[in-house]
């Protein structure tokens, strides 16, 4: 007869250790999580770690420089020799011209004002989309009544791209400003809403049951369990929403704007200030990048427990 | 072992299950999961339920917890029906159920927060309990940084934090390796004796049920009924070497036979369902014991 497992184990030192509470309760070295060991190691060899980091980062840095350098070199020669092979570089500003104009614009209050106006539109539109998207997403995900009443409406509106709303928005809202903010809001609202709903739906039911057993009220459940459990999905929605918000904003500014970096870029075309087009594009890219970075930083701050897993995901 | 409360069992935490039936699904296609079960957990008692897979053990526990409503019969604690979950019935799950976004200490504080306890008292209570479970050094860790055994220990501490009258445990150590299991059983026994609350414990493991319990209920294959009620009169504190004593071995043999019979019934049903009925496996009681 094969002896049952526990019979074997009663002669095991681990079981003996269990007799003295202190020994039994002390964690075994084998199960010590990595995170506890890491800080000690970091303090031990800071210099070596910096060197190791440099060694691993240097090739990447070189390749990045090379990659961008090749692009700028091509740009430089294509504009210098006015390359014309189906795509035409006749009117394209050279890197030098762009640099000169940029130096000039860096002194211009009007240019900064355009950046400020665009950022403000993003903040307001995206901010409202975040509040509404997360709140409605939680309700729709959690309550059948909210899902029944709201979801069909949103499913109907969702396939309409935010840009398609431009003429309607201009008629709908009293000022140009509000209609542009509305377009920005629309663009980011749906990704945030849908990801929040998805987050709520993928909350581990055992967590809800555990919370109920600990005396949590219905509302407490939403705020203390469903919301934090959905945060990773919500932040996925925010990251996507931020991207779409910029797409929608720039398009709206180009079509109906006064002020704003999208308007600046389009105006540069009308005014034959071709170098400014490139500057507008670059600034749009950089601002978008900064906004996405801000979302990521905020996510890391609000979800410290995800620190380990996000590292794995960045590779 | 320090257990000054040995002779003064608490008067609360009395669970009465009376002719309980639970059916799932609509009338025509209803599945009976629990069939006419009557049982009881006396105040301060440690009772285990053991039975083949799918016999309705979790369903039974979920009725006591208040997640599932009885189709017939009643389930009550201290005279009140257990019709919805409450903090006076703590639950420990087989799956890890710690809130991953909260540190170990905040997990333990969670139930106290629902009670409206202020932050200082919460922290004090949580740290005391974590100290008892040997987890104080990990109070600021997130669950993902803990081993499986530690997670379950935190789960037990979290359930105990609200001072429930009864602890409901659904195969809490099922996912742990054998060594960790034995240590966890010791810790659970310590905690139970210290808090003197009733425990209703579900397990697949015969040794676990004997080592922990005052009484063991054996359930039949689905639909689950109580097949036998086996008292475990072994003295406490129980030590691992008791597993070699004649009383222990006799109880174990008895439980093993009861359970093997039901497991074979449960599997026999599955074998027939999958068209293997033609294979008539003759297994006598002794041969069956070999299999387990
Ligand atoms: N919500 C449900 N709806 C329908 N059937 C269910 C539901 N919950 C459980 N069942 C069925 O009831 C029976 C008993 O399930 P239960 O989970 O209680 O068994 P168990 O004894 O805990 O099994 P295990 O040992 O595998 O955990 C099973 O046949 C299961 O399929
Ligand atoms: Mg079960």
């Amino acid at each position: 007869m094969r002896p049952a497992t526990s019979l074997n184990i009663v002669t095991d030192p681990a079981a003996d250790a269990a007799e003295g509470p202190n020994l039994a309760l002390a964690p075994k070295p084998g199960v010590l999580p990595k995170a506890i060991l890491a800080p000690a190691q970091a303090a031990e060899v800071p210099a070596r770690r910096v060197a190791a980091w440099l060694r691993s980062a240097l090739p990447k840095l070189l390749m990045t420089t090379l990659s961008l350098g090749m692009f700028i070199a091509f740009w430089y020669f294509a504009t210098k020799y006015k390359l014309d092979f189906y795509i035409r570089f006749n009117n394209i500003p050279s890197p030098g011209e762009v640099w000169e104009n940029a130096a000039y614009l860096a002194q211009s209050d009007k240019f900064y004002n355009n950046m400020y106006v665009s950022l403000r539109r993003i903040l307001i539109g995206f901010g409202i989309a975040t509040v509404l998207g997360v709140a409605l997403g939680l309700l729709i995900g959690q309550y059948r009544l909210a899902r029944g009443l709201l979801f069909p409406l949103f499913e109907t509106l969702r396939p309409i791209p935010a840009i398609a709303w431009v003429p309607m928005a201009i008629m709908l809202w009293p000022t140009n400003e509000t209609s542009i903010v509305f377009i920005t809001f629309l663009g980011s609202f749906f990704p945030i809403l849908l990801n929040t709903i998805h987050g709520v739906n993928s909350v581990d039911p055992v967590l809800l049951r555990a919370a109920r057993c600990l005396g949590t009220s219905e509302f407490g459940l939403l705020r203390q369990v469903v919301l934090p459990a959905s945060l990773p999905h919500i932040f996925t929605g925010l990251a996507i929403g931020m991207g779409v918000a910029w797409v929608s904003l720039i398009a709206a500014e180009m079509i109906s704007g006064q002020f704003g970096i999208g308007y600046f870029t389009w105006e540069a075309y009308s005014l034959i200030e071709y170098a400014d087009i490139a500057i507008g594009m670059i600034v749009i890219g950089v601002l978008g990048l900064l906004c996405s970075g801000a979302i990521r930083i905020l996510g890391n701050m609000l979800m410290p427990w995800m620190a380990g897993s996000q590292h794995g995901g960045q590779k | 072992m320090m257990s000054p409360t040995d002779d003064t069992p608490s008067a609360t935490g009395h669970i009465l299950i009376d002719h309980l039936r639970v059916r799932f699904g609509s009338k025509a296609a209803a599945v009976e999961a629990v069939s006419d079960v009557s049982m009881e957990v006396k105040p301060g008692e440690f009772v285990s339920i053991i039975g083949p897979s799918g016999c309705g053990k979790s369903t039974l526990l979920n009725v006591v917890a208040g997640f599932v409503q009885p189709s017939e019969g009643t389930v009550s604690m201290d005279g009140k029906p257990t019709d919805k979950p409450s903090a006076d019935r703590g639950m420990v799950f087989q799956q890890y159920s710690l809130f991953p976004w909260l540190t170990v200490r905040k997990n333990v504080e969670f139930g106290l927060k629902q009670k409206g306890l202020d932050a200082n008292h919460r922290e004090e209570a949580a740290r005391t309990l974590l100290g008892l479970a040997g987890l104080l050094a990990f109070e600021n860790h997130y669950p993902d940084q803990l081993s499986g055994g530690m997670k379950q220990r935190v789960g037990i501490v979290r359930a105990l934090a609200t001072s429930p009258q009864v602890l409901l445990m659904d195969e809490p150590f099922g996912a742990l390796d054998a060594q960790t299991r034995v240590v966890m059983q010791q810790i659970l026994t310590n905690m139970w004796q210290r808090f003197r609350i009733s425990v209703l414990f579900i397990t697949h493991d015969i040794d676990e049920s004997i080592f922990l319990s005052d009484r063991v209920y054996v359930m039949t294959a689905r639909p689950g009924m109580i097949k036998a009620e086996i008292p475990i009169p072994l003295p406490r504190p129980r030590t691992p070497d008791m597993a070699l004593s004649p009383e222990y071995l006799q109880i174990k043999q008895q439980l093993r036979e009861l359970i093997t019979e039901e497991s074979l019934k449960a599997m026999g049903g599955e074998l027939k369902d999958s068209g293997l009925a033609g294979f008539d496996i003759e297994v006598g009681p002794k041969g069956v014991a070999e299999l387990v």
Side-chain angles (χ1 to χ4, degrees):
Chain A
M1 189 190 345
R2 193 151 50 86
T5 40
S6 309
L7 271 179
N8 278 341
I9 291 135
V10 289
T11 57
D12 188 286
D16 291 344
E19 305 248 69
N22 286 336
L23 266 176
L25 303 173
K28 285 185 263 170
V31 296
L32 211 59
K34 270 187 213 125
I36 306 166
L37 297 170
Q41 287 172 341
E44 241 170 69
V45 280
R48 232 192 292 161
R49 281 190 58 150
V50 169
W53 177 82
L54 263 181
R55 214 173 310 127
S56 67
L58 210 60
K60 203 179 153 201
L61 203 69
L62 275 174
M63 284 200 281
T64 307
T65 315
L66 196 67
S67 169
L68 291 180
M70 280 190 325
F71 172 72
I72 293 173
F74 171 76
W75 178 13
Y76 172 78
F77 286 112
T79 47
K80 180 166 181 180
Y81 299 109
K82 305 231 179 290
L83 229 55
D84 188 350
F85 58 102
Y86 192 68
I87 48 173
R88 302 150 299 155
F89 284 85
N90 312 345
N91 288 325
I92 303 297
S94 72
E97 290 171 278
V98 170
W99 181 254
E100 270 169 38
N101 273 36
Y104 168 75
L105 283 176
Q107 316 286 332
S108 145
D109 284 346
K110 230 176 103 187
F111 185 66
Y112 286 116
N113 190 52
N114 281 325
M115 278 164 61
Y116 164 75
V117 166
S118 288
L119 277 175
R120 197 185 58 196
R121 287 167 178 163
I122 284 284
L123 274 183
I124 298 173
F126 181 80
I128 296 173
T130 301
V131 172
L132 277 184
V134 171
L136 290 174
L138 289 175
L139 291 178
I140 291 174
Q142 186 75 353
Y143 300 112
R144 212 172 303 149
L145 182 68
R147 183 161 50 243
L149 284 178
L150 295 172
F151 203 56
L153 172 67
F154 289 141
E155 278 299 277
T156 311
L157 293 180
R158 189 172 61 96
I160 304 170
I163 311 303
W165 277 86
V166 169
M168 191 69 84
I170 292 172
M171 294 189 294
L172 208 55
W173 295 91
T175 64
N176 230 348
E177 188 62 25
T178 42
S179 51
I180 292 177
V181 169
F182 174 70
I183 299 296
T184 312
F185 156 80
L186 266 187
S188 44
F189 174 70
F190 286 107
I192 297 172
L193 178 80
L194 291 179
N195 278 281
T196 305
I197 294 174
H198 181 55
V200 175
N201 289 338
S202 47
V203 175
D204 188 348
V206 79
L207 298 182
L208 297 173
R209 300 211 298 151
R212 286 203 173 99
C213 281
L214 292 165
T216 315
S217 66
E218 235 0 84
F219 179 70
L221 218 54
L222 200 63
R223 197 172 56 81
Q224 295 182 74
V225 181
V226 176
L227 175 62
S230 317
L231 270 187
H233 281 109
I234 290 176
F235 268 89
T236 305
L238 293 184
I240 301 171
M242 184 53 93
V244 186
W246 273 99
V247 173
S248 314
L249 171 80
I250 297 303
E253 283 180 345
M254 284 186 169
I255 295 169
S256 74
Q258 297 158 335
F259 314 119
I261 197 71
Y263 166 75
F264 168 86
T265 307
W266 187 254
E267 192 197 27
Y269 177 72
S270 324
L271 299 178
I272 330 180
E273 284 285 355
Y274 292 149
D276 287 356
I277 296 179
I279 294 169
M281 289 166 65
I282 293 168
V283 168
I284 290 166
V286 169
L287 289 181
L289 210 63
L290 289 179
C291 288
S292 304
I295 298 280
R296 193 147 358 117
I297 290 170
L298 189 69
N300 289 343
M301 266 163 40
L302 288 179
M303 303 184 289
W305 72 94
M306 295 288 286
S309 37
Q310 269 189 356
H311 242 76
Q314 269 175 4
K315 279 186 183 166
Chain B
M1 194 173 299
M2 267 195 358
S3 47
T5 46
D6 262 356
D7 317 304
T8 54
S10 51
T12 54
H14 186 193
I15 293 175
L16 256 182
I17 301 177
D18 189 30
H19 295 289
L20 172 70
R21 271 177 206 277
V22 179
R23 277 182 289 266
F24 290 113
S26 55
K27 285 263 154 59
V31 175
E32 188 156 79
V34 175
S35 175
D36 197 21
V37 166
S38 296
M39 57 178 283
E40 133 181 79
V41 183
K42 296 196 194 86
E45 199 182 20
F46 200 120
V47 172
S48 290
I49 299 176
I50 194 163
S53 189
C55 75
K57 303 182 294 295
S58 297
T59 306
L60 182 65
L61 203 72
N62 282 332
V63 178
V64 181
F67 290 120
V68 173
Q69 302 306 319
S71 307
E72 280 173 39
T74 57
V75 177
S76 65
M77 184 173 84
D78 300 330
K80 282 178 299 216
T82 60
D83 48 6
K84 59 173 187 291
S86 141
D88 47 56
R89 275 161 281 133
M91 192 146 180
V92 181
F93 303 85
Q94 172 169 6
Q95 314 95 298
Y96 302 128
S97 63
L98 299 181
F99 304 118
W101 56 90
L102 295 179
T103 60
V104 165
R105 178 157 58 76
K106 297 282 180 191
N107 261 284
V108 175
E109 287 182 19
F110 190 91
L112 298 170
K113 196 172 172 187
Q114 313 307 313
K115 284 191 161 179
L117 213 67
D118 69 79
N120 285 339
H121 284 96
R122 287 203 308 259
E123 179 171 342
E124 200 184 309
R127 300 193 77 211
T128 308
L129 279 169
L130 285 170
L132 287 178
L135 288 163
L136 200 49
F138 296 90
E139 60 170 336
N140 291 322
H141 283 69
Y142 286 102
D144 276 353
Q145 299 171 304
L146 304 181
S147 69
M150 288 187 196
K151 282 186 211 174
Q152 274 322 52
R153 252 190 280 164
V154 178
I156 295 171
V157 169
R158 183 179 65 177
L160 286 172
T162 52
S163 320
Q165 270 93 59
V166 60
L167 208 51
L168 308 172
M169 307 181 83
D170 191 352
E171 298 188 44
F173 308 145
L176 305 179
D177 62 83
Q179 270 86 346
T180 312
R181 238 170 198 252
V182 172
V183 178
M184 293 295 289
Q185 288 161 13
Q186 293 272 8
I187 293 170
L188 176 60
T189 307
N190 284 349
M191 300 289 256
W192 168 66
Q193 287 188 323
R194 205 181 276 267
F195 288 83
R196 260 310 181 197
I197 63 174
S198 323
V199 179
L200 185 53
F201 189 94
I202 289 176
T203 179
H204 269 124
D205 187 310
I206 296 176
D207 285 293
E208 185 166 84
S209 72
I210 303 175
F211 184 78
L212 292 172
S213 318
D214 297 321
R215 236 152 16 96
V216 177
Y217 285 100
V218 181
M219 280 180 79
T220 64
R222 205 188 57 150
M225 288 179 274
I226 300 294
K227 184 185 176 74
E229 179 191 338
I230 311 287
I232 314 286
L234 298 173
R236 292 185 190 267
R238 293 180 183 162
T239 54
D241 42 280
M242 274 184 192
L244 301 170
S245 72
E247 297 108 297
Y248 185 101
L249 291 173
Q250 197 215 326
I251 296 169
K252 183 167 173 177
Q253 181 62 22
Q254 191 183 2
L255 279 171
R256 190 207 294 278
E257 274 166 21
L258 289 165
I259 289 158
T260 310
E261 229 176 274
E262 290 308 317
S263 300
L264 279 181
K265 257 192 232 164
M267 292 212 297
E270 277 164 34
L271 287 179
K272 266 184 212 135
D273 289 348
S274 54
L276 290 173
F279 291 87
D280 244 338
I281 312 166
E282 276 295 339
V283 197
K286 281 232 175 87
V288 159
E290 312 266 64
L291 282 177
V292 178

